[in-house]
Amino acid sequence: MSELLPPLDRLIQQFRKLPGVGRKSAQRYVFRLLEMSDAEAAELAEAILDAKRSVRHCSVCFGLSQDEVCPVCLDEERDRTTVCVVEDVRTMLTFERVREYRGLYHVLHGSISPMTGVTPDKLKIDELVERVKAADSVIGEVILATNPTVEGETTALYITKLLRSYPNAPKITRIAYGIPVGGELEYADELTLSRALEGRRNSEG
Amino acid sequence: MSELLPPLDRLIQQFRKLPGVGRKSAQRYVFRLLEMSDAEAAELAEAILDAKRSVRHCSVCFGLSQDEVCPVCLDEERDRTTVCVVEDVRTMLTFERVREYRGLYHVLHGSISPMTGVTPDKLKIDELVERVKAADSVIGEVILATNPTVEGETTALYITKLLRSYPNAPKITRIAYGIPVGGELEYADELTLSRALEGRRNSEG
């Protein structure tokens, strides 16, 4: 056994597809797996297949769903006049965890990045436009919550121009970027500080 | 979706069984998995099942094997008079990687630890004795390569006494514990230094 047995090597290769998993971690996973009972290992394999099988994208917001339309889009208690546009499902989940936002979402599944071949047609932008323009649409505000990166900014700008070009365009806003709560001004980078200045508001009190 | 969908939550629980995987890592794995194609995800699941299905313990040395007896035990070129006793398969693989050792192995699958209920009968110690005592045994030396921990020391001592109690016992040796190559004496702990002193040899040259 001067090398690992082929089935173990193959499993290591597979584990390495997971984010942040290098050879050492993958090997540790494999050895733990060998220590598990057959039933336990089968449970893990089955959970992987089941997640892929039973989870798809909501046909309205493109968030995750077990059904055609996701629980958020179906929730009658939510504010149907506001749509928050995010780059990915993770951001959507972060918003949900905050429990501050009660509107709907639209997941773009990426951001415009010509360098890596992600053009607007690869994102769910057309679908957003359709949602906004739909005859029965009650959307009054689109909140752009893309990341404060070059790609995120480009995407926000692109969507803003696109939506504004239609008659009866809804209000289009962006979330505020600035100094994080608890952050120290002394250590803020220039870009964040300039964004914080730009977004200044009248002091209350 | 104030919480994650149940199939995703279940998969997170499953990933958390792997060593060093917390909630955050497990969540990242799940999202990467959702981005994969169905075929890719199935490949991972299948590799898990296949590793469990096709890998078992060698009936001679208790290392990993796809067949009844592992390639190391079957290898006619290896020195069949020497058996290196290790606590686990990982240590065996480390020895193999060094490519210095050409004898056989015996994997104990643990070390004696009364505190956690690991008594000698839970380890492959009887099987080692049988191997040594076998009528056709050509074993002339048993190298104890247990870890330099209380449990490893206890195990080495136990095996030494046990094997010595039989007539025609083979030579029983332990690998050297001391200052690691590249280590600085200044930072060595007392125990390692005392072991290094104990194991001193005549300086050559």
Side-chain angles (χ1 to χ4, degrees):
Chain A
M1 208 188 317
S2 45
E3 288 159 44
L4 222 46
L5 297 170
L8 302 186
D9 236 0
R10 272 199 296 277
L11 184 51
I12 286 181
Q13 295 315 322
Q14 289 296 327
F15 275 137
R16 292 191 64 181
K17 289 185 188 167
L18 298 174
V21 177
R23 191 162 180 88
K24 283 240 167 156
S25 297
Q27 199 171 308
R28 285 171 64 213
Y29 295 177
V30 169
F31 281 115
R32 174 65 59 89
L33 208 81
L34 290 174
E35 290 162 11
M36 286 182 189
S37 70
D38 284 357
E40 269 186 300
E43 245 174 57
L44 170 57
E46 186 46 45
I48 290 171
L49 293 174
D50 185 51
K52 281 301 277 187
R53 222 168 12 217
S54 62
V55 176
R56 48 177 164 172
H57 290 151
C58 166
S59 65
V60 178
C61 74
F62 300 95
L64 300 177
S65 181
Q66 288 184 263
D67 306 299
E68 174 75 15
V69 179
C70 78
V72 174
C73 286
L74 285 175
D75 188 346
E76 289 295 333
E77 307 232 314
R78 298 191 74 120
D79 171 13
R80 315 191 81 77
T81 67
T82 314
V83 171
C84 179
V85 177
V86 293
E87 290 184 21
D88 49 44
V89 173
R90 266 161 288 196
T91 310
M92 176 172 166
L93 291 175
T94 308
F95 268 94
E96 283 298 280
R97 223 173 290 128
V98 176
R99 294 171 184 277
E100 192 73 32
Y101 178 70
R102 296 300 298 160
L104 303 179
Y105 293 93
H106 192 88
V107 183
L108 297 173
H109 288 280
S111 52
I112 299 171
S113 168
M115 294 280 286
T116 57
V118 184
T119 44
D121 58 294
K122 301 248 167 69
L123 306 174
K124 303 293 181 194
I125 294 180
D126 286 346
E127 288 83 350
L128 173 64
V129 172
E130 265 174 56
R131 257 180 102 177
V132 170
K133 281 172 64 187
D136 59 346
S137 166
V138 292
I139 298 169
E141 179 173 1
V142 171
I143 304 172
L144 299 174
T146 52
N147 288 318
T149 57
V150 174
E151 292 80 11
E153 299 284 335
T154 307
T155 310
L157 197 66
Y158 181 89
I159 294 177
T160 305
K161 284 189 173 165
L162 192 64
L163 288 181
R164 287 239 166 95
S165 72
Y166 296 107
N168 302 321
K171 191 165 137 191
I172 303 166
T173 58
R174 291 208 61 185
I175 58 165
Y177 299 102
I179 307 297
V181 178
E184 292 194 49
L185 280 171
E186 185 181 348
Y187 302 115
D189 62 292
E190 292 163 36
L191 214 59
T192 302
L193 205 53
S194 103
R195 295 292 288 272
L197 259 176
E198 218 176 281
R200 70 189 179 279
R201 303 191 303 177
N202 284 324
S203 183
E204 275 158 38
Chain B
M1 208 188 317
S2 44
E3 290 159 44
L4 224 45
L5 298 169
L8 302 187
D9 237 0
R10 272 198 297 277
L11 183 51
I12 286 182
Q13 296 314 321
Q14 289 296 326
F15 275 136
R16 292 191 65 181
K17 288 184 189 167
L18 299 173
V21 177
R23 190 164 179 88
K24 282 239 167 157
S25 296
Q27 199 170 309
R28 285 171 64 212
Y29 295 176
V30 168
F31 281 115
R32 174 65 59 90
L33 208 83
L34 290 175
E35 290 162 12
M36 287 181 188
S37 70
D38 284 358
E40 269 187 300
E43 246 174 56
L44 170 56
E46 187 45 45
I48 290 170
L49 293 174
D50 186 52
K52 282 300 276 188
R53 220 165 17 213
S54 62
V55 176
R56 50 178 163 172
H57 291 151
C58 166
S59 64
V60 178
C61 74
F62 301 96
L64 300 177
S65 182
Q66 288 183 265
D67 305 300
E68 175 75 15
V69 180
C70 79
V72 174
C73 287
L74 286 175
D75 188 346
E76 289 296 334
E77 308 232 312
R78 299 192 72 121
D79 171 14
R80 314 192 80 77
T81 65
T82 315
V83 171
C84 179
V85 177
V86 293
E87 290 183 21
D88 49 44
V89 173
R90 265 160 287 196
T91 308
M92 176 173 168
L93 291 175
T94 307
F95 268 93
E96 283 299 279
R97 224 174 289 129
V98 176
R99 293 170 185 279
E100 192 73 31
Y101 178 71
R102 296 300 299 161
L104 302 179
Y105 294 92
H106 192 89
V107 183
L108 297 174
H109 288 279
S111 52
I112 298 172
S113 168
M115 293 281 284
T116 57
V118 184
T119 44
D121 58 294
K122 301 248 168 69
L123 306 174
K124 303 293 180 193
I125 294 179
D126 285 347
E127 289 83 351
L128 172 65
V129 172
E130 265 175 55
R131 261 180 98 176
V132 171
K133 282 172 64 187
D136 59 348
S137 168
V138 292
I139 299 171
E141 178 174 2
V142 171
I143 303 172
L144 299 174
T146 52
N147 288 317
T149 57
V150 174
E151 292 80 11
E153 299 285 335
T154 307
T155 310
L157 196 67
Y158 181 89
I159 294 176
T160 306
K161 283 189 174 165
L162 193 64
L163 288 181
R164 288 237 165 95
S165 71
Y166 295 107
N168 303 320
K171 191 165 134 191
I172 301 165
T173 59
R174 291 209 62 185
I175 58 166
Y177 298 102
I179 307 298
V181 178
E184 293 193 49
L185 280 171
E186 185 182 347
Y187 303 115
D189 62 292
E190 291 162 36
L191 214 58
T192 302
L193 205 53
S194 105
R195 294 293 286 274
L197 261 175
E198 217 177 283
R200 70 190 179 278
R201 303 191 303 178
N202 283 326
S203 183
E204 275 157 37

